[in-house]
Amino acid sequence: MGTDSIVTHVAAALTVVIAVSYALGSVARRLGQPPVVGELFAGIALGPSLLGLAPGRIYETLFPEQIQPILSALAQVALVLFLFAVGYELDLRLLRGRGAVAAVSLGGFAIPMTLGAGAVLLFPGGFASANGGHPVDATFTLYIAVALSITAVPVLAGIIRDQGLAGGRPGAIAMASAGIIDALSWPVLAVVLMGGGQGSARTWTVRVALLAVHILVMVFVVRPLLVRWMRRPGALLAHHAPVAVAVALGSAWATSALGLHVIFGALLAGIIMPRLPDGVADSRLLRPLQETGGLLLPVFFTVSGMAVKLGGLHRSDLLLLVVICAAAIVGKVTAGSLSARAARLPWRDALVIGVLLNTRGLTELIVLNVGLQAGVIGPRLYALLVVMALLTTAATGPLLGPLRRRAARPDDHDDRANRERTTDTGPDPGQSPTADATPAPQP
């Protein structure tokens, strides 16, 4: 296939990918689901599991092997831009939070990880069978623990907005806690990949040392240079985005060369990017990067869907899927709810927080792709985990519905609490301090 033919095929593939992803994302939104659910399904539908079953070799014609490396490269660029934006939006000051946010973050991170590791230890045979010969060792166990602890912050933000929870206490706590959970999960995932790499102990030590050097250079050299360059007299905002993209791609290249994934370099670049004086991310810089990454993310969904081969699953995998979904849902909903309740939040708010933390979506798909590319998980287990991510994300809206309807009808306990609060506030300000709240009957 010549260069012109490859360009033609890539243009045709991108046309179909973006159009189908947008269409199914719109359908998902009409059904009360976040658009990412439709986009995830579009990725699977355009892969061999569905489109590959169509007659006439449509899948092979639309996605020939010669263009798949190009699509994979575009997907990685989309991830770099997306994770850079995630890192730039991440407010590390939340790590110093106390009260409900700290309790929910700790519970929403530790308990799902424990359940994920426990599921592997309780069902080692099922995981070993679905993992297709890949070792089920300590690295694998820690990876599954991380995969079940992730919460998709961007998808969560969309659900909170669509469900009318923006500005409320449960939505704010869930968003802050999800950011902290992911901030804790990414370093653990990096440790998993470092520990699962091939080579001697000396090679591993050298890689860790080089990674530490890269982090120090980004924090103490690159960041001060960016601050001086962006705040110099006469600096133009139009020049900030290209520099940010260059820093993100350069950092992604460095971590990829060290044996990690490009996402870690992109995250680091976003974290060290200078913010506004009040510590908030500059929307004028963030918006073009988010929009560009959003246009390319459907390619990532499609590349991910190409790796999902539902036809290769065995009947025994259904039981493992139930185990994985149960551990994922119970871990997040129970951990988030009980942690919020321990912080003295009402039961309804606590349950809403637990349900919101069960959202996975795009971030989970990124983690699964990293594990598949690193050889930690095999294609069959990857397919099961993708289905789990799709189901748990799609379940968020329906689970929130009854909680919101119950909030619209206060129960007797709430009425009694309201009466008690009214009594505690004392007499009406318009009355005399000595007047009785109830007028005395006239003779």
Side-chain angles (χ1 to χ4, degrees), residues 7-194:
V7 171
T8 302
H9 276 83
V10 169
L14 290 178
T15 300
V16 173
V17 166
I18 294 175
V20 172
S21 296
Y22 176 78
L24 294 186
S26 299
V27 171
R29 182 179 291 278
R30 289 179 178 273
L31 295 176
Q33 294 288 344
V36 70
V37 172
E39 293 168 352
L40 282 172
F41 183 77
I44 297 176
L46 291 175
S49 295
L50 292 180
L51 187 61
L53 301 178
R57 298 179 60 85
I58 297 178
Y59 174 76
E60 291 80 2
T61 302
L62 185 60
F63 301 109
E65 293 184 2
Q66 292 87 341
I67 73 167
Q68 292 186 12
I70 299 176
L71 296 179
S72 298
L74 289 174
Q76 298 303 308
V77 172
L79 285 186
V80 169
L81 297 178
F82 174 78
L83 268 299
F84 174 85
V86 170
Y88 188 45
E89 285 186 300
L90 179 63
D91 190 353
L92 295 181
R93 293 174 299 180
L94 293 174
L95 296 175
R96 299 193 297 268
R98 297 180 179 179
V101 173
V104 173
S105 302
L106 181 60
F109 176 70
I111 295 178
M113 285 197 67
T114 303
L115 288 180
V120 176
L121 296 177
L122 289 175
F123 301 95
F127 280 97
S129 174
N131 212 26
H134 296 266
V136 179
D137 51 11
T139 297
F140 172 83
T141 302
L142 186 57
Y143 172 82
I144 295 297
V146 174
L148 296 191
S149 68
I150 285 290
T151 297
V153 176
V155 180
L156 178 60
I159 291 177
I160 290 175
R161 182 181 62 252
D162 295 340
Q163 294 288 333
L165 297 172
R169 179 171 57 177
I173 293 176
M175 275 296 297
S177 301
I180 296 175
I181 291 170
D182 283 0
L184 297 174
S185 300
W186 293 120
V188 177
L189 182 60
V191 171
V192 170
L193 296 183
M194 283 287 193

Side-chain angles (χ1 to χ4, degrees), residues 94-346:
L94 293 174
L95 296 175
R96 299 193 297 268
R98 297 180 179 179
V101 173
V104 173
S105 302
L106 181 60
F109 176 70
I111 295 178
M113 285 197 67
T114 303
L115 288 180
V120 176
L121 296 177
L122 289 175
F123 301 95
F127 280 97
S129 174
N131 212 26
H134 296 266
V136 179
D137 51 11
T139 297
F140 172 83
T141 302
L142 186 57
Y143 172 82
I144 295 297
V146 174
L148 296 191
S149 68
I150 285 290
T151 297
V153 176
V155 180
L156 178 60
I159 291 177
I160 290 175
R161 182 181 62 252
D162 295 340
Q163 294 288 333
L165 297 172
R169 179 171 57 177
I173 293 176
M175 275 296 297
S177 301
I180 296 175
I181 291 170
D182 283 0
L184 297 174
S185 300
W186 293 120
V188 177
L189 182 60
V191 171
V192 170
L193 296 183
M194 283 287 193
Q198 302 295 325
S200 62
R202 179 179 178 182
T203 302
W204 185 87
T205 304
V206 170
R207 290 168 61 192
V208 172
L210 290 175
L211 178 61
V213 170
H214 173 63
I215 295 174
L216 293 175
V217 170
M218 292 291 290
V219 173
F220 295 106
V221 178
V222 177
R223 175 178 169 78
L225 290 175
L226 287 172
V227 171
R228 293 183 60 182
W229 188 84
M230 295 176 69
R231 297 178 183 174
R232 74 190 191 282
L236 298 176
L237 180 65
H239 296 165
H240 292 177
V243 171
V245 172
V247 171
L249 291 173
S251 182
W253 164 78
T255 55
S256 180
L258 292 175
L260 291 173
H261 200 274
V262 295
I263 62 173
F264 297 102
L267 271 170
L268 179 60
I271 291 173
I272 64 100
M273 197 70 186
R275 295 166 171 259
L276 295 175
D278 59 357
V280 178
D282 191 344
S283 61
R284 297 171 298 177
L285 172 61
L286 189 62
R287 187 179 300 112
L289 297 177
Q290 288 178 325
E291 291 175 351
T292 305
L295 286 174
L296 292 176
L297 276 178
V299 183
F300 170 72
F301 290 131
T302 300
V303 172
S304 302
M306 291 178 181
V308 176
K309 298 179 174 60
L310 299 177
L313 297 179
H314 300 171
R315 290 185 178 179
S316 59
D317 294 337
L318 180 60
L319 176 60
L320 183 60
L321 176 61
V322 173
V323 171
I324 292 173
C325 289
I329 295 173
V330 172
K332 280 296 186 181
V333 177
T334 302
S337 301
L338 294 181
S339 300
R341 183 59 181 164
R344 301 180 182 276
L345 268 69

Side-chain angles (χ1 to χ4, degrees), residues 28-37 155-156 158-165 329 333 351-361 389-406:
R29 182 179 291 278
R30 289 179 178 273
L31 295 176
Q33 294 288 344
V36 70
V37 172
V155 180
L156 178 60
I159 291 177
I160 290 175
R161 182 181 62 252
D162 295 340
Q163 294 288 333
L165 297 172
I329 295 173
V333 177
L351 290 172
V352 169
I353 292 172
V355 171
L356 288 174
L357 291 182
N358 194 42
T359 304
R360 288 177 173 83
L390 190 61
L391 292 177
T392 53
T393 304
T396 303
L399 290 177
L400 285 175
L403 295 175
R404 295 186 62 197
R405 288 193 294 271
R406 185 175 183 273

